[in-house]
Amino acid sequence: MFSEPKSKHIPRATIHRLATYVQALENLARDGMEIVSSNPLADACGVNGSQVRKDLAYFGEFGVRGVGYNVKSLLLAITQALGVDREWKMALVGVGNLGRAILNHHEFRLRGFNIIAIFDCDPFKIGEIMHGMEVRCTDDLKTHIRDVNIDIGIITTPPERAQRAADNLFSAGIYSILNFAPARIKAPEIAHVEYVDFFHHLYALAFDVTKTDMHE
Amino acid sequence: MFSEPKSKHIPRATIHRLATYVQALENLARDGMEIVSSNPLADACGVNGSQVRKDLAYFGEFGVRGVGYNVKSLLLAITQALGVDREWKMALVGVGNLGRAILNHHEFRLRGFNIIAIFDCDPFKIGEIMHGMEVRCTDDLKTHIRDVNIDIGIITTPPERAQRAADNLFSAGIYSILNFAPARIKAPEIAHVEYVDFFHHLYALAFDVTKTDMHE
DNA sequence: TGCTGTGAAGTGCTTCACAGCG
DNA sequence: CGCTGTGAAGCACTTCACAGCA
């Protein structure tokens, strides 16, 4: 019928690895390394050298044959490819323990991800000042961010309130969501939801341990 | 040469989905639903019905043909398959913002994941009491947990101290690690490391947004 | 010579399609 | 009849292997 522009479809796994490459390259840059070739970079990221080269090939040719990659310019190339070389405005919904920890995590601001509005539906929290921002009522989200262009919504509510938080974000025109609540979210097609769920990882570890114990 | 017992190799993706199924089944159970078939369950988790059936098939036959799955007994079956139907003892390394948020996150304890020892290498924090536990020096980790069997280590240090934290855990015989620090960890073969990295997810969202904006 | 960039081969996960059974 | 459990087919990502270039 019709198909994506599909000049190139980029696997999601590639996108996630690019973030790892950024990490590794930042370390190399900090250590004063100027050139790196695909295999050592791959080692540092726990992947295969071809994988690195193929991942990069989706975005262009950044290396020099026989030499390798210039650390700084590759770093720049990847951040540009990902689109993270700019400022991002975010709204946070749910100022419990985790929400506050995220507000205090200055690495977000450092990397251009700025939380500029915070919401909660607990009447005791609404009106409180945190990090120079007033906690607003989640139901008024749409009104309060009418004038600013929020790029990303962060959900740090308890699971049972996650869907409502998401719906509020959607109706305010925010379709990119980082969800820390351990709950699946029903979202319109155009939305992008990334899940950060500690328990998924703990469960996976628990399984590994159980499995390992069985074999000895 | 030689091969794994390989009675069945279970894809890592399956393990991660099982945690999602647990979530969904808990919701269904809370809503009083007694029976569910693979397709609605799959919908709630954002996957395909066959996927659910295949994932479950790795562990046994839990359904009734023509009917579906009993919500409660499937829930039990999955938690047993994952090995999460017991108590876990964990040690936390790094009591910054995130570490404290995790200590306060009572859902961990609720699900049997108990933090029973906390460490930091900041002299100003060592000796402080948090949640009824004294913060110990990370370098003495091995000594302090000699008598208790810690199952899982949680790393919530800044990235530059993550490897040292991990090495301390390894030398104390803890080979299952949940790492919140945005850094890759070099670990022995037998170790299991799960990474929770907010920035990977933010970067992925940033990419999605950038990509979407390009097409309109 | 050394390392990138890339078609081709390999691998493993997902989806299909249907037999099997309550 | 409906839904599970599962071999077979399909698809997507990873790895190999080497041509191409500095």
Side-chain angles (χ1 to χ4, degrees):
Chain A
M1 204 54 58
F2 80 103
S3 70
E4 288 274 305
K6 169 163 304 182
S7 51
K8 264 176 287 187
H9 165 252
I10 299 169
R12 192 118 198 106
T14 291
I15 302 303
H16 277 107
R17 277 192 299 272
L18 289 176
T20 312
Y21 302 157
V22 168
Q23 249 175 37
L25 289 166
E26 283 174 348
N27 291 342
L28 291 172
R30 187 163 6 89
D31 297 348
M33 208 77 99
E34 294 193 352
I35 300 290
V36 68
S37 53
S38 58
N39 278 309
L41 177 58
D43 279 351
C45 298
V47 300
N48 180 300
S50 310
Q51 187 75 82
V52 171
R53 298 198 294 279
K54 188 133 279 187
D55 285 340
L56 297 177
Y58 286 111
F59 298 95
E61 305 198 359
F62 306 114
V64 180
R65 288 162 201 242
V67 179
Y69 302 90
N70 177 293
V71 172
K72 281 188 180 169
S73 61
L74 182 57
L75 197 45
L76 186 68
I78 296 179
T79 51
Q80 283 178 346
L82 286 173
V84 292
D85 58 336
R86 69 164 178 102
E87 294 286 309
W88 295 84
K89 289 179 186 164
M90 312 196 292
L92 184 143
V93 186
V95 286
N97 285 320
L98 185 60
R100 277 193 297 268
I102 286 172
L103 281 169
N104 286 312
H105 201 32
H106 65 287
E107 181 122 355
F108 281 85
R109 184 138 306 180
L110 214 78
R111 294 189 176 267
F113 290 90
N114 305 300
I115 296 170
I116 61 166
I118 55 182
F119 300 89
D120 204 297
C121 63
D122 178 349
F124 289 101
K125 286 178 184 158
I126 292 169
E128 205 178 317
I129 304 291
M130 286 186 190
H131 276 249
M133 287 173 283
E134 189 180 337
V135 178
R136 309 283 193 163
C137 175
T138 310
D139 293 322
D140 303 335
L141 197 148
K142 190 173 178 174
T143 318
H144 283 297
I145 62 165
R146 191 185 292 142
D147 304 325
V148 284
N149 238 336
I150 300 282
D151 302 296
I152 294 171
I154 303 181
I155 297 178
T156 45
T157 65
E160 60 275 17
R161 263 170 269 157
Q163 184 66 54
R164 190 151 71 95
D167 291 339
N168 278 314
L169 288 164
F170 296 146
S171 73
I174 302 170
Y175 292 108
S176 295
I177 292 186
L178 183 63
N179 177 32
F180 286 83
R184 270 280 119 183
I185 285 175
K186 288 207 192 314
E189 273 292 301
I190 55 161
H192 302 291
V193 184
E194 284 280 322
Y195 295 86
V196 183
D197 192 324
F198 308 165
F199 284 105
H200 283 212
H201 296 280
L202 277 178
Y203 280 22
L205 280 178
F207 174 75
D208 291 336
V209 174
T210 309
K211 206 83 210 256
T212 307
D213 290 350
M214 272 167 42
H215 292 312
E216 57 185 41
Chain B
M1 203 52 61
F2 81 102
S3 71
E4 288 274 305
K6 164 165 306 182
S7 50
K8 264 179 285 186
H9 166 254
I10 299 169
R12 191 116 198 109
T14 292
I15 302 303
H16 277 107
R17 277 192 300 270
L18 288 176
T20 313
Y21 302 158
V22 168
Q23 251 175 36
L25 288 166
E26 283 174 348
N27 291 343
L28 291 172
R30 185 162 10 87
D31 298 348
M33 207 78 98
E34 293 193 354
I35 299 290
V36 67
S37 53
S38 58
N39 278 310
L41 177 57
D43 280 351
C45 298
V47 300
N48 180 299
S50 310
Q51 187 75 83
V52 170
R53 298 198 295 278
K54 188 133 280 186
D55 284 341
L56 297 177
Y58 286 111
F59 298 95
E61 306 200 358
F62 306 115
V64 179
R65 289 163 200 243
V67 181
Y69 302 90
N70 177 293
V71 172
K72 281 188 180 167
S73 61
L74 182 56
L75 197 45
L76 186 68
I78 297 179
T79 50
Q80 283 178 348
L82 286 173
V84 292
D85 59 335
R86 68 164 178 101
E87 294 286 307
W88 295 85
K89 289 180 186 163
M90 311 198 290
L92 185 141
V93 186
V95 286
N97 285 319
L98 184 59
R100 277 193 298 268
I102 286 172
L103 280 170
N104 286 312
H105 202 33
H106 63 285
E107 182 121 357
F108 281 86
R109 184 137 307 180
L110 215 78
R111 293 188 177 267
F113 290 89
N114 305 299
I115 297 170
I116 62 165
I118 54 181
F119 299 89
D120 204 298
C121 62
D122 178 348
F124 289 102
K125 286 178 184 158
I126 293 169
E128 206 178 315
I129 303 291
M130 286 186 190
H131 276 251
M133 288 174 282
E134 188 180 338
V135 178
R136 309 284 193 161
C137 175
T138 310
D139 293 323
D140 304 334
L141 197 147
K142 190 173 178 173
T143 319
H144 283 298
I145 62 165
R146 191 184 292 142
D147 305 324
V148 284
N149 239 335
I150 299 282
D151 302 296
I152 294 172
I154 303 181
I155 297 178
T156 44
T157 64
E160 60 275 17
R161 263 170 268 157
Q163 184 65 55
R164 190 150 72 96
D167 291 338
N168 278 315
L169 288 164
F170 296 145
S171 73
I174 302 171
Y175 292 108
S176 294
I177 292 185
L178 184 62
N179 176 33
F180 287 85
R184 267 284 116 184
I185 284 174
K186 286 203 195 319
E189 274 292 300
I190 55 162
H192 302 291
V193 184
E194 282 281 322
Y195 294 86
V196 183
D197 192 326
F198 308 165
F199 284 105
H200 283 212
H201 296 280
L202 277 177
Y203 280 23
L205 280 178
F207 175 75
D208 292 336
V209 173
T210 309
K211 206 82 211 257
T212 306
D213 290 350
M214 270 167 44
H215 293 313
E216 57 186 40

